[in-house]
PDB file of all heavy atoms in Angstrom:
ATOM      1  N   GLY A1295     -18.793 -44.159 152.043  1.00  0.00           N
ATOM      2  CA  GLY A1295     -19.745 -44.999 151.438  1.00  0.00           C
ATOM      3  C   GLY A1295     -20.888 -45.301 152.349  1.00  0.00           C
ATOM      4  O   GLY A1295     -21.201 -44.476 153.242  1.00  0.00           O
ATOM      5  N   PRO A1296     -21.528 -46.450 152.250  1.00  0.00           N
ATOM      6  CA  PRO A1296     -22.634 -46.863 153.124  1.00  0.00           C
ATOM      7  C   PRO A1296     -22.212 -46.843 154.585  1.00  0.00           C
ATOM      8  O   PRO A1296     -21.065 -47.172 154.914  1.00  0.00           O
ATOM      9  CB  PRO A1296     -22.970 -48.237 152.656  1.00  0.00           C
ATOM     10  CG  PRO A1296     -22.471 -48.363 151.269  1.00  0.00           C
ATOM     11  CD  PRO A1296     -21.249 -47.494 151.216  1.00  0.00           C
ATOM     12  N   VAL A1297     -23.132 -46.424 155.451  1.00  0.00           N
ATOM     13  CA  VAL A1297     -22.836 -46.297 156.876  1.00  0.00           C
ATOM     14  C   VAL A1297     -22.358 -47.591 157.467  1.00  0.00           C
ATOM     15  O   VAL A1297     -21.385 -47.631 158.283  1.00  0.00           O
ATOM     16  CB  VAL A1297     -24.067 -45.793 157.596  1.00  0.00           C
ATOM     17  CG1 VAL A1297     -23.839 -45.836 159.152  1.00  0.00           C
ATOM     18  CG2 VAL A1297     -24.386 -44.356 157.204  1.00  0.00           C
ATOM     19  N   ALA A1298     -22.942 -48.740 157.065  1.00  0.00           N
ATOM     20  CA  ALA A1298     -22.540 -50.066 157.620  1.00  0.00           C
ATOM     21  C   ALA A1298     -21.112 -50.349 157.275  1.00  0.00           C
ATOM     22  O   ALA A1298     -20.378 -50.895 158.075  1.00  0.00           O
ATOM     23  CB  ALA A1298     -23.493 -51.123 157.096  1.00  0.00           C
ATOM     24  N   LEU A1299     -20.692 -50.061 156.048  1.00  0.00           N
ATOM     25  CA  LEU A1299     -19.281 -50.280 155.689  1.00  0.00           C
ATOM     26  C   LEU A1299     -18.367 -49.379 156.474  1.00  0.00           C
ATOM     27  O   LEU A1299     -17.344 -49.821 157.025  1.00  0.00           O
ATOM     28  CB  LEU A1299     -19.090 -49.961 154.167  1.00  0.00           C
ATOM     29  CG  LEU A1299     -17.642 -50.015 153.650  1.00  0.00           C
ATOM     30  CD1 LEU A1299     -17.063 -51.419 153.806  1.00  0.00           C
ATOM     31  CD2 LEU A1299     -17.586 -49.531 152.222  1.00  0.00           C
ATOM     32  N   MET A1300     -18.715 -48.120 156.599  1.00  0.00           N
ATOM     33  CA  MET A1300     -17.853 -47.191 157.352  1.00  0.00           C
ATOM     34  C   MET A1300     -17.787 -47.587 158.841  1.00  0.00           C
ATOM     35  O   MET A1300     -16.689 -47.504 159.421  1.00  0.00           O
ATOM     36  CB  MET A1300     -18.343 -45.760 157.240  1.00  0.00           C
ATOM     37  CG  MET A1300     -18.212 -45.176 155.791  1.00  0.00           C
ATOM     38  SD  MET A1300     -18.509 -43.411 155.752  1.00  0.00           S
ATOM     39  CE  MET A1300     -20.204 -43.360 156.329  1.00  0.00           C
ATOM     40  N   ASP A1301     -18.894 -47.996 159.370  1.00  0.00           N
ATOM     41  CA  ASP A1301     -18.867 -48.476 160.778  1.00  0.00           C
ATOM     42  C   ASP A1301     -17.911 -49.704 160.912  1.00  0.00           C
ATOM     43  O   ASP A1301     -17.175 -49.759 161.897  1.00  0.00           O
ATOM     44  CB  ASP A1301     -20.267 -48.840 161.226  1.00  0.00           C
ATOM     45  CG  ASP A1301     -21.129 -47.628 161.467  1.00  0.00           C
ATOM     46  OD1 ASP A1301     -20.574 -46.470 161.528  1.00  0.00           O
ATOM     47  OD2 ASP A1301     -22.339 -47.778 161.604  1.00  0.00           O
ATOM     48  N   ALA A1302     -18.022 -50.647 159.982  1.00  0.00           N
ATOM     49  CA  ALA A1302     -17.151 -51.829 160.049  1.00  0.00           C
ATOM     50  C   ALA A1302     -15.660 -51.463 159.951  1.00  0.00           C
ATOM     51  O   ALA A1302     -14.837 -51.999 160.639  1.00  0.00           O
ATOM     52  CB  ALA A1302     -17.547 -52.815 158.946  1.00  0.00           C
ATOM     53  N   VAL A1303     -15.351 -50.507 159.074  1.00  0.00           N
ATOM     54  CA  VAL A1303     -13.985 -50.102 158.901  1.00  0.00           C
ATOM     55  C   VAL A1303     -13.501 -49.404 160.157  1.00  0.00           C
ATOM     56  O   VAL A1303     -12.361 -49.679 160.648  1.00  0.00           O
ATOM     57  CB  VAL A1303     -13.824 -49.200 157.653  1.00  0.00           C
ATOM     58  CG1 VAL A1303     -12.424 -48.511 157.617  1.00  0.00           C
ATOM     59  CG2 VAL A1303     -14.076 -49.929 156.362  1.00  0.00           C
ATOM     60  N   GLU A1304     -14.308 -48.487 160.652  1.00  0.00           N
ATOM     61  CA  GLU A1304     -13.933 -47.790 161.878  1.00  0.00           C
ATOM     62  C   GLU A1304     -13.768 -48.697 163.090  1.00  0.00           C
ATOM     63  O   GLU A1304     -12.758 -48.607 163.834  1.00  0.00           O
ATOM     64  CB  GLU A1304     -15.003 -46.759 162.157  1.00  0.00           C
ATOM     65  CG  GLU A1304     -14.657 -45.788 163.327  1.00  0.00           C
ATOM     66  CD  GLU A1304     -15.622 -44.593 163.448  1.00  0.00           C
ATOM     67  OE1 GLU A1304     -16.429 -44.464 162.556  1.00  0.00           O
ATOM     68  OE2 GLU A1304     -15.608 -43.901 164.476  1.00  0.00           O
ATOM     69  N   GLU A1305     -14.637 -49.683 163.201  1.00  0.00           N
ATOM     70  CA  GLU A1305     -14.501 -50.655 164.339  1.00  0.00           C
ATOM     71  C   GLU A1305     -13.219 -51.476 164.194  1.00  0.00           C
ATOM     72  O   GLU A1305     -12.480 -51.679 165.146  1.00  0.00           O
ATOM     73  CB  GLU A1305     -15.714 -51.615 164.343  1.00  0.00           C
ATOM     74  CG  GLU A1305     -15.616 -52.625 165.450  1.00  0.00           C
ATOM     75  CD  GLU A1305     -16.826 -53.582 165.456  1.00  0.00           C
ATOM     76  OE1 GLU A1305     -17.652 -53.440 164.526  1.00  0.00           O
ATOM     77  OE2 GLU A1305     -16.887 -54.383 166.336  1.00  0.00           O
ATOM     78  N   SER A1306     -12.897 -51.917 162.932  1.00  0.00           N
ATOM     79  CA  SER A1306     -11.687 -52.731 162.752  1.00  0.00           C
ATOM     80  C   SER A1306     -10.418 -51.865 163.014  1.00  0.00           C
ATOM     81  O   SER A1306      -9.451 -52.319 163.556  1.00  0.00           O
ATOM     82  CB  SER A1306     -11.672 -53.260 161.319  1.00  0.00           C
ATOM     83  OG  SER A1306     -12.732 -54.168 161.031  1.00  0.00           O
ATOM     84  N   ALA A1307     -10.481 -50.596 162.609  1.00  0.00           N
ATOM     85  CA  ALA A1307      -9.347 -49.694 162.856  1.00  0.00           C
ATOM     86  C   ALA A1307      -9.071 -49.518 164.329  1.00  0.00           C
ATOM     87  O   ALA A1307      -7.956 -49.567 164.808  1.00  0.00           O
ATOM     88  CB  ALA A1307      -9.576 -48.342 162.216  1.00  0.00           C
ATOM     89  N   ARG A1308     -10.131 -49.400 165.100  1.00  0.00           N
ATOM     90  CA  ARG A1308      -9.944 -49.204 166.549  1.00  0.00           C
ATOM     91  C   ARG A1308      -9.505 -50.507 167.192  1.00  0.00           C
ATOM     92  O   ARG A1308      -8.623 -50.506 168.060  1.00  0.00           O
ATOM     93  CB  ARG A1308     -11.298 -48.795 167.215  1.00  0.00           C
ATOM     94  CG  ARG A1308     -11.684 -47.363 166.870  1.00  0.00           C
ATOM     95  CD  ARG A1308     -12.618 -46.749 167.869  1.00  0.00           C
ATOM     96  NE  ARG A1308     -12.832 -45.331 167.641  1.00  0.00           N
ATOM     97  CZ  ARG A1308     -13.877 -44.822 167.008  1.00  0.00           C
ATOM     98  NH1 ARG A1308     -14.798 -45.630 166.473  1.00  0.00           N
ATOM     99  NH2 ARG A1308     -13.984 -43.524 166.824  1.00  0.00           N
ATOM    100  N   LEU A1309     -10.016 -51.659 166.739  1.00  0.00           N
ATOM    101  CA  LEU A1309      -9.567 -52.949 167.277  1.00  0.00           C
ATOM    102  C   LEU A1309      -8.099 -53.187 166.914  1.00  0.00           C
ATOM    103  O   LEU A1309      -7.355 -53.889 167.675  1.00  0.00           O
ATOM    104  CB  LEU A1309     -10.415 -54.066 166.720  1.00  0.00           C
ATOM    105  CG  LEU A1309     -11.855 -54.132 167.282  1.00  0.00           C
ATOM    106  CD1 LEU A1309     -12.656 -55.235 166.497  1.00  0.00           C
ATOM    107  CD2 LEU A1309     -11.841 -54.466 168.776  1.00  0.00           C
ATOM    108  N   ALA A1310      -7.702 -52.669 165.766  1.00  0.00           N
ATOM    109  CA  ALA A1310      -6.251 -52.812 165.364  1.00  0.00           C
ATOM    110  C   ALA A1310      -5.342 -51.887 166.205  1.00  0.00           C
ATOM    111  O   ALA A1310      -4.134 -52.076 166.162  1.00  0.00           O
ATOM    112  CB  ALA A1310      -6.111 -52.463 163.914  1.00  0.00           C
ATOM    113  N   GLY A1311      -5.937 -50.984 166.961  1.00  0.00           N
ATOM    114  CA  GLY A1311      -5.145 -50.107 167.873  1.00  0.00           C
ATOM    115  C   GLY A1311      -4.908 -48.725 167.314  1.00  0.00           C
ATOM    116  O   GLY A1311      -4.064 -47.951 167.857  1.00  0.00           O
ATOM    117  N   LEU A1312      -5.602 -48.316 166.225  1.00  0.00           N
ATOM    118  CA  LEU A1312      -5.347 -47.004 165.663  1.00  0.00           C
ATOM    119  C   LEU A1312      -6.108 -45.988 166.550  1.00  0.00           C
ATOM    120  O   LEU A1312      -7.286 -46.152 166.876  1.00  0.00           O
ATOM    121  CB  LEU A1312      -5.901 -46.947 164.219  1.00  0.00           C
ATOM    122  CG  LEU A1312      -5.008 -47.549 163.122  1.00  0.00           C
ATOM    123  CD1 LEU A1312      -5.707 -47.423 161.795  1.00  0.00           C
ATOM    124  CD2 LEU A1312      -3.626 -46.896 163.040  1.00  0.00           C
ATOM    125  N   PRO A1313      -5.457 -44.816 166.766  1.00  0.00           N
ATOM    126  CA  PRO A1313      -6.165 -43.756 167.501  1.00  0.00           C
ATOM    127  C   PRO A1313      -7.169 -43.050 166.560  1.00  0.00           C
ATOM    128  O   PRO A1313      -7.098 -43.140 165.336  1.00  0.00           O
ATOM    129  CB  PRO A1313      -5.013 -42.765 167.835  1.00  0.00           C
ATOM    130  CG  PRO A1313      -4.005 -43.044 166.840  1.00  0.00           C
ATOM    131  CD  PRO A1313      -4.072 -44.506 166.458  1.00  0.00           C
ATOM    132  N   ASP A1314      -8.147 -42.368 167.172  1.00  0.00           N
ATOM    133  CA  ASP A1314      -9.182 -41.707 166.418  1.00  0.00           C
ATOM    134  C   ASP A1314      -8.628 -40.727 165.423  1.00  0.00           C
ATOM    135  O   ASP A1314      -9.238 -40.465 164.359  1.00  0.00           O
ATOM    136  CB  ASP A1314     -10.122 -41.005 167.360  1.00  0.00           C
ATOM    137  CG  ASP A1314     -11.073 -41.999 168.106  1.00  0.00           C
ATOM    138  OD1 ASP A1314     -11.045 -43.164 167.772  1.00  0.00           O
ATOM    139  OD2 ASP A1314     -11.783 -41.561 169.041  1.00  0.00           O
ATOM    140  N   ALA A1315      -7.515 -40.100 165.775  1.00  0.00           N
ATOM    141  CA  ALA A1315      -6.910 -39.095 164.916  1.00  0.00           C
ATOM    142  C   ALA A1315      -6.469 -39.649 163.554  1.00  0.00           C
ATOM    143  O   ALA A1315      -6.216 -38.863 162.598  1.00  0.00           O
ATOM    144  CB  ALA A1315      -5.756 -38.394 165.582  1.00  0.00           C
ATOM    145  N   GLN A1316      -6.309 -40.963 163.430  1.00  0.00           N
ATOM    146  CA  GLN A1316      -5.901 -41.629 162.182  1.00  0.00           C
ATOM    147  C   GLN A1316      -7.031 -42.304 161.469  1.00  0.00           C
ATOM    148  O   GLN A1316      -6.821 -43.010 160.486  1.00  0.00           O
ATOM    149  CB  GLN A1316      -4.759 -42.595 162.471  1.00  0.00           C
ATOM    150  CG  GLN A1316      -3.480 -41.917 162.906  1.00  0.00           C
ATOM    151  CD  GLN A1316      -2.391 -42.881 163.332  1.00  0.00           C
ATOM    152  OE1 GLN A1316      -1.760 -42.667 164.330  1.00  0.00           O
ATOM    153  NE2 GLN A1316      -2.189 -43.960 162.600  1.00  0.00           N
ATOM    154  N   ILE A1317      -8.281 -42.049 161.959  1.00  0.00           N
ATOM    155  CA  ILE A1317      -9.440 -42.619 161.321  1.00  0.00           C
ATOM    156  C   ILE A1317     -10.363 -41.562 160.787  1.00  0.00           C
ATOM    157  O   ILE A1317     -10.796 -40.693 161.530  1.00  0.00           O
ATOM    158  CB  ILE A1317     -10.281 -43.523 162.317  1.00  0.00           C
ATOM    159  CG1 ILE A1317      -9.323 -44.558 162.958  1.00  0.00           C
ATOM    160  CG2 ILE A1317     -11.428 -44.219 161.613  1.00  0.00           C
ATOM    161  CD1 ILE A1317      -9.976 -45.331 164.115  1.00  0.00           C
ATOM    162  N   HIS A1318     -10.665 -41.546 159.465  1.00  0.00           N
ATOM    163  CA  HIS A1318     -11.357 -40.453 158.816  1.00  0.00           C
ATOM    164  C   HIS A1318     -12.512 -41.050 158.021  1.00  0.00           C
ATOM    165  O   HIS A1318     -12.331 -42.056 157.380  1.00  0.00           O
ATOM    166  CB  HIS A1318     -10.457 -39.681 157.933  1.00  0.00           C
ATOM    167  CG  HIS A1318      -9.102 -39.364 158.497  1.00  0.00           C
ATOM    168  ND1 HIS A1318      -8.885 -38.215 159.290  1.00  0.00           N
ATOM    169  CD2 HIS A1318      -7.908 -40.042 158.489  1.00  0.00           C
ATOM    170  CE1 HIS A1318      -7.620 -38.210 159.658  1.00  0.00           C
ATOM    171  NE2 HIS A1318      -6.999 -39.284 159.227  1.00  0.00           N
TER     172      HIS A1318
END
């Protein structure tokens, strides 16, 4: 979707401790 939404999701995923391999 919109870049701002994807950036927010990606940042939250990393803060939650998810590795990059689990973020798409």
Side-chain angles (χ1 to χ4, degrees):
V1297 172
L1299 172 65
M1300 293 192 299
D1301 286 347
V1303 170
E1304 189 170 347
E1305 180 182 4
S1306 295
R1308 289 203 172 98
L1309 289 174
L1312 282 177
D1314 287 351
Q1316 290 173 226
I1317 306 170
H1318 316 271

